[in-house]
């Protein structure tokens, strides 16, 4: 990789703040420049109490109601026999506890019958080519068939409400966080272990996964991988909760090796089959709220299996231990994080990759990996620009103008956030496939430009623009560059901003859609 111009200190700390958060406001950049890059990096990566996050507590979601009339009928029958639903105190034993012969609950705690609803969508499939979960539901959770069945309609409404609630909560936390690295890191891992609520359905299960990614995302990658391989939402997403010794499902095994831990070319189809057998035995107790994963030895295949060169009687957890210990795993994880934080276009040199993998080390220290990425000389290369993902663009813009999603009227919130993110193709908790969201120029389409214009016009109507209004027209382009963390406007953009500068709202909307604001410089 040929190095371009090296960033100066101010440009470098601006890049660091943008890529470890969502913005780079003038006060933060000034303070970081005074402290220097190394001290700023130490502060960013340090664990600290976050008053902003404290103000955005995790929502408490109830269980979903039965999803169909048949499911409700089964529930009522059980209530009639027992006086209360199974899984409640004094009720019938849960599926997870009774280790049934293959029957399992499928509807959330509102439908504890144990039989899959015939209206369920087909399995999303496992391979990277599976556009997982994208086709079964419409984006707003009001898919077909809801109007004919009031019970199903109620389920759809509850699903939609949960989806909106968890999305709003996370966006609000990303905007409010005073130490945004934890939220940015969680977003990175959400894209790595991509799981969509469109198939999972349960907002509570998605929130639990989100908490796992946040809690374990800065430590030993093995601990994170161990938690994720039995994470209820991921199990549903990749059809792992029905995998038995008699009928092992390969979806989770394939993605565990291809996307999450090892990478393409580092395993064989035989390894996938053997790993799938090792992953058998885990089921979900959907009577619990939120769902709980449980190991049922009777369903597990304990036979010795050979997976990527090692033969053992693997369990799900010992399989993870083996896979993450392989050198190919370290390079794979480092490579994915490099593309997200350093450059999506330029691969690391052999020397850079070796240094980053060495820092990550046998302890699989994620924070050490991130530190190595941010201190690599390629991170200071002016040419290594990243296109902002829509969530980064929207959250960064809201932070720049102090607009909190939770403080917006519901109708405005829907127009400004939900419609924008759906239009741009990136809604939290709903990655488009198990491979996550696209990156780079894929976000810079003509259709996306129109959506950004609508977002910018909506935001300036809600933002406090008093400082822009107080500045002279001549000062406004530079003021907006500082507010948005833009190093400098290009000549074309500056000319457009200058022409619009007499109108504070108009010039601000133009700045929000300028090319320089669409990238992490």
């Amino acid at each position: 990789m040929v190095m371009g111009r090296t960033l100066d200190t101010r440009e470098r700390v601006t890049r660091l703040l943008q890529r470890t958060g969502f913005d780079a406001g003038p006060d933060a950049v000034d303070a970081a420049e005074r402290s220097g890059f190394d001290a700023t990096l130490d502060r960013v990566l340090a664990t600290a109490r976050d008053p902003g996050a404290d103000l955005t507590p995790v929502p408490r979601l109830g269980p979903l109601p039965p999803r169909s009339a048949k499911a409700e009928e089964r529930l009522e029958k059980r209530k009639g026999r027992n006086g209360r639903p199974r899984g409640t105190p004094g009720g019938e034993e849960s599926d997870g506890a009774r280790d049934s012969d293959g029957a399992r609950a499928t509807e959330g705690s509102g439908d504890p019958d144990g039989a899959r609803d015939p209206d369920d969508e087909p399995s999303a499939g496992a391979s990277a080519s599976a556009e997982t979960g994208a086709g079964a539901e419409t984006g707003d959770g009001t898919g077909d068939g809801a109007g004919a069945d009031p019970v199903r309609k109620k389920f759809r409404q509850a699903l939609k409400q949960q989806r909106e609630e968890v999305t709003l909560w996370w966006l609000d936390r990303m905007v409010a966080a005073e130490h945004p690295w934890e939220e940015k890191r969680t977003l990175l891992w959400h894209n790595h272990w991509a799981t969509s609520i469109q198939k999972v359905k349960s907002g509570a299960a998605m929130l639990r996964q989100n908490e796992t990614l946040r809690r374990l995302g800065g430590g030993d990658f093995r601990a994170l991988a161990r938690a994720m391989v039995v994470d209820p939402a991921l199990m549903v997403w990749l059809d792992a909760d029905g995998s038995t010794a008699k009928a092992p499902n390969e979806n989770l095994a394939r993605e565990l090796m291809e996307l999450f831990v090892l990478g393409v070319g580092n395993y064989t189809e035989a390894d996938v089959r053997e790993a799938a057998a090792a992953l058998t035995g885990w089921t979900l107790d959907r009577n619990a709220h939120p769902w709980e994963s449980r190991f049922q030895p009777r369903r597990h295949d304990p036979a010795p299996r050979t997976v990527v060169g090692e033969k053992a009687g693997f369990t799900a957890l010992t399989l993870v231990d083996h896979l993450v210990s392989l050198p190919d795993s370290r390079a794979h994880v480092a490579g994915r994080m490099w593309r997200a934080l350093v450059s999506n276009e330029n691969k690391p040199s052999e020397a850079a990759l070796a240094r980053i993998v060495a820092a990550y080390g046998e302890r699989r220290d994620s924070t050490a990996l991130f530190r190595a990425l941010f201190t690599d000389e390629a991170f200071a290369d002016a040419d290594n620009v990243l296109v902002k993902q829509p969530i980064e663009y929207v959250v960064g813009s809201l932070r720049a103008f102090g607009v909190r999603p939770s403080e917006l009227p519901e109708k405005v919130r829907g127009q400004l956030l939900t419609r924008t993110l759906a239009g741009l193709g990136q809604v939290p908790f709903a990655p488009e496939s198990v491979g996550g969201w696209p990156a780079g120029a894929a976000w810079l389409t003509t259709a996306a430009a129109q959506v950004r214009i609508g977002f910018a016009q909506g935001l300036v109507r809600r933002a406090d623009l008093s400082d822009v209004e107080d500045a002279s027209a001549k000062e406004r382009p530079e003021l907006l560059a500082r507010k948005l963390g833009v190093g400098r406007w290009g000549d074309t953009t500056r000319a457009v901003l200058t022409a619009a500068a007499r109108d504070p709202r108009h010039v601000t909307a133009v700045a929000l859609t300028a090319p320089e604001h669409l990238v992490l410089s």
Side-chain angles (χ1 to χ4, degrees):
M1 183 177 67
V2 179
M3 288 287 292
R5 180 180 66 85
T6 299
L7 301 176
D8 63 28
T9 300
R10 186 174 182 85
E11 292 171 324
R12 198 169 169 218
V13 296
T14 299
R15 172 173 287 185
L16 179 65
L17 294 176
Q18 286 183 332
R19 298 192 187 189
T20 57
F22 304 96
D23 61 351
D27 293 342
V29 173
D30 291 345
E33 185 179 21
R34 289 192 298 271
S35 301
F37 182 88
D38 291 342
T40 302
L41 179 59
D42 288 343
R43 180 181 58 77
V44 166
L45 296 182
T47 301
R49 182 168 173 265
D50 190 328
D54 292 345
L55 293 174
T56 54
V58 178
R60 302 179 66 178
L61 303 178
L64 288 169
R67 65 185 301 166
S68 68
K70 291 181 180 178
E72 185 179 61
E73 183 179 351
R74 290 195 295 270
L75 179 63
E76 292 303 318
K77 284 181 179 178
R78 289 195 175 277
K79 285 182 178 178
R81 287 201 295 271
N82 301 329
R84 67 189 70 188
R86 190 177 59 196
T88 59
E92 190 174 337
E93 189 177 29
S94 73
D95 278 343
R98 66 189 170 92
D99 188 12
S100 70
D101 59 359
R104 56 196 170 90
T106 62
E107 303 290 317
S109 26
D111 176 22
D113 187 272
R116 185 174 290 281
D117 191 310
D119 293 334
D120 273 357
E121 69 275 24
S123 166
S127 67
S129 62
E131 297 303 324
T132 325
E137 291 273 356
T138 56
D140 63 359
T142 56
D144 60 356
D149 182 345
V151 178
R152 192 170 181 80
K153 183 177 181 180
K154 183 178 179 182
F155 170 82
R156 299 280 188 178
Q157 290 174 335
L159 176 66
K160 180 174 182 289
Q161 183 177 357
Q162 281 199 357
R163 187 178 303 176
E164 291 176 349
E165 189 169 358
V166 297
T167 300
L168 170 63
W169 164 75
W170 198 11
L171 289 172
D172 202 46
R173 175 166 284 201
M174 286 189 268
V175 172
E178 296 182 15
H179 306 288
W181 168 236
E182 189 169 281
E183 297 310 314
K184 184 63 170 287
R185 189 184 67 200
T186 303
L187 182 61
L188 291 171
W189 288 126
H190 177 40
N191 194 36
H192 182 90
W193 299 91
T195 307
S196 175
I197 195 173
Q198 289 195 341
K199 179 179 178 182
V200 175
K201 312 294 188 192
S202 168
M206 295 302 299
L207 280 176
R208 180 172 175 171
Q209 182 187 94
N210 184 271
E211 189 278 333
T212 297
L213 297 174
R214 182 176 293 100
R215 177 169 50 86
L216 301 177
D220 182 348
F221 182 77
R222 185 184 77 151
L224 177 61
R226 274 180 155 232
M228 292 303 295
V229 81
V230 294
D231 173 76
L234 190 69
M235 288 175 65
V236 172
W237 178 237
L238 294 176
D239 310 304
D241 65 328
S243 186
T244 66
K246 291 182 179 179
N249 190 300
E250 296 179 1
N251 291 2
L252 178 57
R254 184 178 305 281
E255 306 310 350
L256 187 65
M257 289 194 272
E258 179 172 332
L259 292 172
F260 304 148
V261 175
L262 272 185
V264 176
N266 299 319
Y267 63 91
T268 66
E269 284 299 307
D271 291 323
V272 172
R273 291 192 293 273
E274 296 288 85
L279 292 172
T280 57
W282 283 89
T283 63
L284 289 185
D285 178 1
R286 304 195 195 206
N287 296 317
H289 181 71
W291 297 337
E292 296 281 353
S293 54
R294 301 186 189 283
F295 182 64
Q296 299 188 14
R298 199 159 62 85
R299 295 182 171 195
H300 176 61
D301 182 350
R305 300 285 179 176
T306 300
V307 181
V308 197
E310 181 166 319
K311 187 173 184 177
F314 287 111
T315 65
L317 301 186
T318 60
L319 174 67
V320 165
D321 292 350
H322 168 52
L323 295 179
V324 302
S325 71
L326 298 171
D328 288 332
S329 173
R330 296 171 209 153
H332 174 65
V333 175
R336 290 203 71 176
M337 292 301 118
W338 173 281
R339 290 191 291 275
L341 293 168
V342 179
S343 174
N344 187 53
E345 306 296 331
N346 299 317
K347 295 181 179 178
S349 66
E350 289 186 10
L353 184 60
R355 188 180 72 84
I356 295 164
V357 167
Y360 182 53
E362 295 184 359
R363 296 174 60 189
R364 300 161 299 272
D365 185 335
S366 297
T367 293
L369 182 152
F370 292 127
R371 180 182 291 276
L373 290 172
F374 297 134
T375 54
D376 192 88
E377 63 178 6
F379 187 76
D381 184 342
D383 291 343
N384 283 331
V385 173
L386 293 173
V387 175
K388 287 180 182 174
Q389 298 181 65
I391 292 173
E392 293 172 325
Y393 169 74
V394 168
V395 170
S397 299
L398 295 173
R399 288 174 64 96
F401 289 96
V403 176
R404 283 279 302 277
S406 61
E407 296 173 354
L408 294 170
E410 183 175 352
K411 184 177 180 180
V412 175
R413 197 163 58 223
Q415 294 172 338
L416 193 60
L417 301 180
T418 309
R419 189 175 299 178
T420 297
L421 290 170
L424 293 175
Q426 191 182 40
V427 179
F429 297 106
E432 67 175 31
S433 79
V434 71
W437 287 290
W443 298 118
L444 302 178
T445 64
T446 302
Q450 292 299 316
V451 175
R452 287 192 183 93
I453 290 172
F455 168 76
Q457 293 171 339
L459 179 56
V460 298
R461 286 195 290 270
R462 293 289 164 182
D464 178 3
L465 300 181
S466 55
D467 53 348
V468 182
E469 292 167 345
D470 291 343
S472 67
K474 185 178 179 180
E475 296 170 329
R476 285 170 183 162
E478 183 59 29
L479 172 64
L480 287 166
R482 282 174 55 80
K483 286 180 72 71
L484 295 175
V486 172
R488 61 176 65 87
W489 300 116
D491 292 343
T492 302
T493 301
R494 179 172 290 282
V496 175
L497 290 169
T498 300
R502 287 186 177 277
D503 184 337
R505 285 190 179 185
H506 184 46
V507 70
T508 302
V510 172
L512 284 165
T513 58
E516 292 84 350
H517 180 49
L518 304 186
V519 299
L520 297 167
S521 58

